[in-house]
Amino acid sequence: MKPARQRTAILISGRGSNMASLVAAARHQDYPAEIALVLSNRPDAAGLDYAREHHIATAAVDHKIYAGREAFESVLQTMLETHRIDLICLAGFMRLLTASFTQRWQGRMLNIHPALLPSYKGLHTHERALADGVKIHGCTVHYVVPE
């Protein structure tokens, strides 16, 4: 018997190019994850439209309307629980998460970062790498930890 596919939420902040790749991969029956939710901290994120077009549940939790990170993350957590999420993938999600939230999801939250960490943390990684003339550049997929 095949193991059940993990119910996965993809968290985005923009157009969702990495999300689109994950959605395409998840169409294959041997892929270990089912994309059950696409959630954004920006209600106008173009990736939400893409997810809806592919019949994936979407949610927007606008971080700007909450008093702080904890209040915002409390609503995120409620959305993740409502959709019975097993695994989170941060794919262009442009918010830092608190230690408490990352510990709650320890070993079940992945991040896609467009650089070979520890080089080029933060934004504009490709532009900075090109400006520096580096010979090797790539991406890092890692489990999220409070550090």
Side-chain angles (χ1 to χ4, degrees):
M1 179 178 216
K2 270 172 72 171
R5 297 169 76 187
Q6 292 190 53
R7 292 181 57 79
T8 302
I10 302 174
L11 275 57
I12 64 170
S13 292
R15 68 182 200 270
S17 56
N18 285 326
M19 173 207 62
S21 295
L22 293 168
V23 168
R27 288 188 195 123
H28 300 280
Q29 289 303 312
D30 61 345
Y31 196 73
E34 166 196 356
I35 309 304
L37 175 67
V38 172
L39 192 151
S40 179
N41 65 306
R42 296 187 49 193
D44 61 346
L48 293 172
D49 293 331
Y50 179 92
R52 286 184 205 107
E53 290 167 8
H54 287 82
H55 310 288
I56 299 169
T58 62
V61 180
D62 188 348
H63 67 275
K64 294 177 185 175
I65 67 171
Y66 296 95
R69 289 188 192 278
E70 289 81 7
F72 166 70
E73 290 173 1
S74 176
V75 176
L76 276 185
Q77 183 63 31
T78 298
M79 293 303 300
L80 296 166
E81 290 171 0
T82 298
H83 289 271
R84 301 180 332 275
I85 298 303
D86 302 312
L87 181 71
I88 298 172
C89 182
L90 306 177
F93 187 67
M94 304 307 288
R95 300 293 304 162
L96 293 176
L97 298 166
T98 64
S100 175
F101 188 84
T102 58
Q103 286 169 344
R104 172 181 282 151
W105 286 92
Q106 186 170 357
R108 300 181 301 138
M109 183 165 40
L110 297 165
N111 182 48
I112 301 169
H113 181 75
L116 298 172
L117 293 173
S119 299
Y120 303 103
K121 295 178 182 177
L123 302 174
H124 310 293
T125 60
H126 303 303
E127 293 89 343
R128 292 183 313 170
L130 287 170
D132 290 349
V134 298
K135 301 233 185 265
I136 298 174
H137 187 64
C139 74
T140 302
V141 178
H142 63 93
Y143 285 104
V144 178
V145 295
E147 296 81 36

